[in-house]
Amino acid sequence: MEHLERCAWVLRGTLVRSAVRRYLPWALAASMLAGSLLKELSPLPESYLSNKRNVLNVYFVKVAWGWTFCLLLPFIALTNYHLTGKAGLVLRRLSTLLVGTAIWYVCTAIFSNIEHYTGSCYQSPTLEGERKEHQSKQQCHGEGGFWHGFDISGHSFLLTFCALMIVEEMAVLHEVKTDRSHCLHAAITTLVVALGFLTFIWVWMFLCTAIYFHNLSQKVFGTLFGLLGWYGTYGCWYLKSFSPGLPPQSSSLNLKQDTYKK
């Protein structure tokens, strides 16, 4: 438990700072552009991380929203109830996860439709021999063809959105003080470590996506959707009274407004 607490202390000192919430969006955008330019101008040799079957991609990134949802659910519930003692407020704050799920679902549906309506089926990955009889990606792949359309990077979108959402919710740790002998302390400490490592995985795999996959425009649109999903909620809507609200903290509204004005 002592090692877990040390790890949680380091993660809290790293991810809970207001500077992280302020500059992480810019850092993600800049790293996406830098990685994309590297991919276009001086591609790195293939590695384990450039293989779509790598462990982090298959078991984490492919279900990134599931991981984020399942860890934020108890974290938001425990920390918000500990600070407020109001079940109604906790349920209101948990609705952020429903909003996040809606954003994930709508955006991925948009990406899928864009790829469908801009795509065609070909006989080979080099886009030779268009097969006009196949009008959908599923039908094309089912017949051994290769579908090519404008494939907005779902990874860039989701990893951006998940990382920023976790960092926003962890801001509540500024206010959380628990007795080390209490079981709540162990639960929150464990969740802090899990969410911290998850955030680093999301950022790392975001960089790998920028370096190894998709073209520049596909990653720009994917990252932009992720940033808009985050800013539209935590930067705008959640500042209003009729919303799930921000994590409870001292003068949270004023602090948040000041953060986005800078």
Side-chain angles (χ1 to χ4, degrees):
M1 188 62 188
E2 182 179 350
H3 295 294
L4 195 66
E5 288 182 347
R6 288 181 180 177
C7 189
W9 181 80
V10 172
L11 290 169
R12 288 176 69 151
T14 303
L15 297 176
V16 181
R17 295 178 179 178
S18 60
V20 172
R21 298 196 299 281
R22 186 181 304 126
Y23 295 118
L24 182 58
W26 297 102
L28 290 172
S31 61
M32 178 273 297
L33 292 173
S36 298
L37 289 175
L38 179 64
K39 178 178 181 295
E40 298 297 328
L41 301 177
S42 181
L44 296 179
E46 291 189 2
S47 68
Y48 177 72
L49 291 173
S50 67
N51 186 337
K52 294 181 179 180
R53 303 300 301 172
N54 73 73
V55 171
L56 290 177
N57 191 56
V58 173
Y59 294 105
F60 286 90
V61 178
K62 290 290 186 181
V63 285
W65 180 244
W67 279 106
T68 303
F69 186 102
C70 290
L71 288 177
L72 279 180
L73 178 63
F75 178 80
I76 293 173
L78 291 175
T79 54
N80 284 248
Y81 188 77
H82 173 68
L83 290 174
T84 67
K86 298 178 180 179
L89 181 58
V90 172
L91 291 175
R92 177 186 172 191
R93 292 258 41 260
L94 285 173
S95 67
T96 57
L97 296 175
L98 297 180
V99 174
T101 300
I103 291 173
W104 162 74
Y105 182 82
V106 170
C107 287
T108 52
I110 291 173
F111 300 165
S112 179
N113 279 292
I114 289 175
E115 185 181 14
H116 170 75
Y117 288 112
T118 61
S120 298
C121 187
Y122 296 90
Q123 293 180 359
S124 70
T126 57
L127 308 184
E128 297 177 351
E130 184 176 354
R131 303 168 68 172
K132 295 185 178 181
E133 69 273 17
H134 301 313
Q135 299 299 315
S136 71
K137 183 178 180 179
Q138 291 75 16
Q139 186 182 23
C140 178
H141 287 173
E143 297 297 326
F146 297 86
W147 187 265
H148 180 74
F150 189 70
D151 182 19
I152 296 177
S153 176
H155 282 23
S156 296
F157 152 69
L158 191 55
L159 296 176
T160 297
F161 182 66
C162 287
L164 293 174
M165 185 175 182
I166 291 174
V167 169
E168 291 286 357
E169 291 298 334
M170 290 184 74
V172 74
L173 293 173
H174 279 301
E175 308 298 322
V176 175
K177 302 294 187 293
T178 57
D179 186 346
R180 294 184 63 180
S181 62
H182 199 281
C183 60
L184 179 64
H185 177 79
I188 292 178
T189 298
T190 302
L191 287 168
V192 168
V193 172
L195 285 168
F197 277 108
L198 198 64
T199 303
F200 285 117
I201 290 175
W202 295 163
V203 172
W204 174 250
M205 293 306 292
F206 177 86
L207 295 175
C208 290
T209 299
I211 293 171
Y212 291 115
F213 303 105
H214 291 279
N215 61 39
L216 176 60
S217 60
Q218 292 168 348
K219 285 176 285 194
V220 166
F221 276 100
T223 304
L224 183 60
F225 270 89
L227 292 173
L228 288 175
W230 156 75
Y231 187 75
T233 51
Y234 288 91
C236 294
W237 183 31
Y238 293 176
L239 299 177
K240 311 299 182 182
S241 57
F242 186 70
S243 73
L246 296 168
Q249 48 186 313
S250 300
S251 305
S252 60
L253 182 58
N254 292 332
L255 286 173
K256 196 66 173 185
Q257 289 173 334
D258 290 342
T259 296
Y260 289 108
K261 286 177 182 177
K262 292 182 180 179

